[in-house]
Amino acid sequence: MGGALRAEADKADKPLLAYVGTFSSPLRDVLPTQVDLPPGNGRGIHIFKVDRTTGALTAAGVHEMGTSPSCLAVNAAGTRLYSANETDRVGKDKVGTVSAFAIDRADGKLKLLNTVTSGGAGPTYVSIHPSGKFVLVANYFGGSIAVLPILEDGRLGDATDTKIDAGKVGPTKAVHAPPGSFAFSGHDRTHAHMIEADPSGRFVLHVDLGLDKIFVWKFDEKKGTLTPNDPPAVSLPPGDGPRHFHFHPNGKWFYSIQEEGSTIVLFDYDGATGGLTSRQTISTLPPKFAGSNFCSEILVSADGRFVYAGNRLHDSIGIFSVGEKGTLTHVGDEWTRGNYPRSFTFDPTGQFLYCCNQRADNVTVFRVDRKTGGLTFTGHYTPVGNPSIVVFLDLAKPG
């Protein structure tokens, strides 16, 4: 067999896997203002084989967890997976936890390595620092962030740094809320919602929805510590509620999505100083929309030509083209075929987009048109209780 044919045969034998994080137990001890109360229909981390041609998912197992592994991150080598256990409650302070898993490269099954506290209640987001040496975690209910070192065997160590958000909480009415909106979620206290390093790893950024701020930190890779940048944060319009963000592939444009304001804000990002300068604000919703909506995910396509924005209640993914200077133009919307799209992501090739419809208990698959940015439903529904996130691992690629 020729080398090319052998490579294709090996690829066929080694599957593309999808790990789906879920809410697997009810949120307890929550604030009365909490609008997102999944009943815990998931069973933990669900594992699927992905059809590379059609995008369809086939169940391949479940790593049972009753602590709602609602956010997952896989390391660059594809040998370790980390989960934010959002509904875990540990100790007198009822803090959450983060777990480390070894991935079996033969079949993708998970083996728990260890679990550590997350530095606050309700860890809702984890990401891996570009150095591969740290997991960054945002604690939604605790209003805090933490840096967890990754040890040589992939286990997590105790936090090398923890920061607690502080400041004036924004108003319950968002400046940019659609007409007639009653969308109110996080403007009762501090709520750290996402944390991630910039492409260089020199700076770490995190959003606090309740404070309407994006914080920027200088990161010491040797110590695993955070120091406030100058300035330490940028503010979004009062009440709009920044939730998630995504860098453009050029590293110079930064897009933030606001949960209650239903907007995307384009920032110019200075990689030398960590500075953010806002330049455009655009609605995530179609023209003339009225009523309540909660934004969720934001993604920039790998080629940098399109931005996708999640709308919960409108239950759509807004599609935007990226202009020469990074500005966005609304080009369409696609119904998610389910209720309350919490997050979505592309497969490794960018051919398909997978959407977690949290309240519909399903993951839906769309084919991506690279030229127009459009999404076409493939007809594939995958039943998963309260899905929250999808991450991929291609076992055909070396570990």
Side-chain angles (χ1 to χ4, degrees):
M1 183 183 292
L5 291 175
R6 185 180 300 109
E8 286 301 312
D10 289 344
K11 185 175 181 179
D13 292 338
K14 296 179 180 178
L16 173 63
L17 298 179
Y19 297 92
V20 180
T22 66
F23 285 97
S24 54
S25 64
L27 291 175
R28 300 182 179 89
D29 306 319
V30 297
L31 301 165
T33 51
Q34 182 66 26
V35 298
D36 193 358
L37 295 170
N41 295 332
R43 292 171 53 201
I45 302 174
H46 296 239
I47 307 171
F48 297 90
K49 290 184 179 180
V50 184
D51 187 307
R52 298 176 189 267
T53 302
T54 68
L57 302 178
T58 301
V62 180
H63 188 92
E64 304 259 356
M65 297 176 70
T67 53
S68 299
S70 63
C71 189
L72 310 174
V74 176
N75 69 345
T79 58
R80 300 290 184 265
L81 180 145
Y82 300 92
S83 72
N85 306 320
E86 189 165 348
T87 59
D88 210 359
R89 300 288 188 267
V90 175
K92 64 178 181 178
D93 295 326
K94 298 182 179 179
V95 298
T97 61
V98 179
S99 294
F101 299 88
I103 299 173
D104 188 324
R105 294 286 303 183
D107 57 15
K109 291 183 179 179
L110 302 175
K111 178 183 178 182
L112 179 66
L113 295 176
N114 76 327
T115 297
V116 299
T117 56
S118 66
T124 192
Y125 201 92
V126 287
S127 61
I128 300 174
H129 186 267
S131 67
K133 299 178 180 179
F134 302 93
V135 166
L136 309 172
V137 55
N139 297 291
Y140 182 80
F141 291 114
S144 65
I145 59 171
V147 181
L148 306 177
I150 298 175
L151 307 180
E152 288 189 8
D153 62 358
R155 291 181 304 117
L156 293 170
D158 292 333
T160 51
D161 203 357
T162 303
K163 303 294 185 185
I164 300 175
D165 295 348
K168 182 180 178 180
V169 175
T172 58
K173 181 69 174 179
V175 168
H176 287 102
S181 174
F182 287 89
F184 167 60
S185 54
H187 287 90
D188 51 355
R189 57 186 292 179
T190 57
H191 289 296
H193 216 312
M194 178 181 175
I195 183 169
E196 195 164 282
D198 75 349
S200 73
R202 293 178 54 216
F203 296 95
V204 168
L205 299 91
H206 94 271
V207 299
D208 191 293
L209 188 148
L211 298 179
D212 299 310
K213 287 187 175 182
I214 302 172
F215 291 87
V216 184
W217 304 89
K218 298 175 183 177
F219 187 69
D220 187 323
E221 188 178 315
K222 293 182 179 179
K223 299 179 180 179
T225 54
L226 302 164
T227 304
N229 198 35
D230 183 18
V234 294
S235 295
L236 278 297
D240 279 11
R243 176 185 173 93
H244 280 188
F245 57 81
H246 201 181
F247 280 93
H248 189 274
N250 67 14
K252 298 178 181 179
W253 302 330
F254 175 98
Y255 298 93
S256 172
I257 192 166
Q258 282 55 250
E259 179 171 315
E260 294 171 54
S262 293
T263 62
I264 302 171
V265 175
L266 160 65
F267 291 87
D268 287 320
Y269 180 71
D270 186 334
T273 66
L276 291 168
T277 305
S278 62
R279 186 153 51 85
Q280 182 195 23
T281 299
I282 186 171
S283 174
T284 63
L285 295 159
K288 299 183 180 181
F289 174 89
S292 299
N293 181 71
F294 294 92
C295 284
S296 55
E297 188 63 274
I298 185 164
L299 286 182
V300 184
S301 61
D303 61 9
R305 297 182 59 212
F306 300 98
V307 169
Y308 298 83
N311 292 304
R312 296 175 293 178
L313 295 188
H314 189 252
D315 294 338
S316 69
I317 297 174
I319 305 166
F320 301 82
S321 62
V322 178
E324 291 184 1
K325 296 183 179 180
T327 55
L328 302 181
T329 300
H330 181 258
V331 296
D333 304 274
E334 181 64 30
W335 173 39
T336 65
R337 269 67 176 184
N339 185 278
Y340 225 62
R342 182 176 180 88
S343 74
F344 46 83
T345 192
F346 301 107
D347 78 313
T349 68
Q351 294 183 85
F352 298 101
L353 182 145
Y354 292 76
C355 183
C356 293
N357 294 305
Q358 179 183 304
R359 294 181 181 171
D361 299 309
N362 65 32
V363 175
T364 48
V365 188
F366 299 82
R367 189 175 291 276
V368 181
D369 187 318
R370 303 289 188 85
K371 294 181 179 180
T372 68
L375 302 174
T376 302
F377 183 49
T378 62
H380 297 306
Y381 293 90
T382 302
V384 185
N386 295 147
S388 181
I389 191 171
V390 180
V391 296
F392 291 95
L393 173 62
D394 192 345
L395 292 178
K397 294 184 177 180

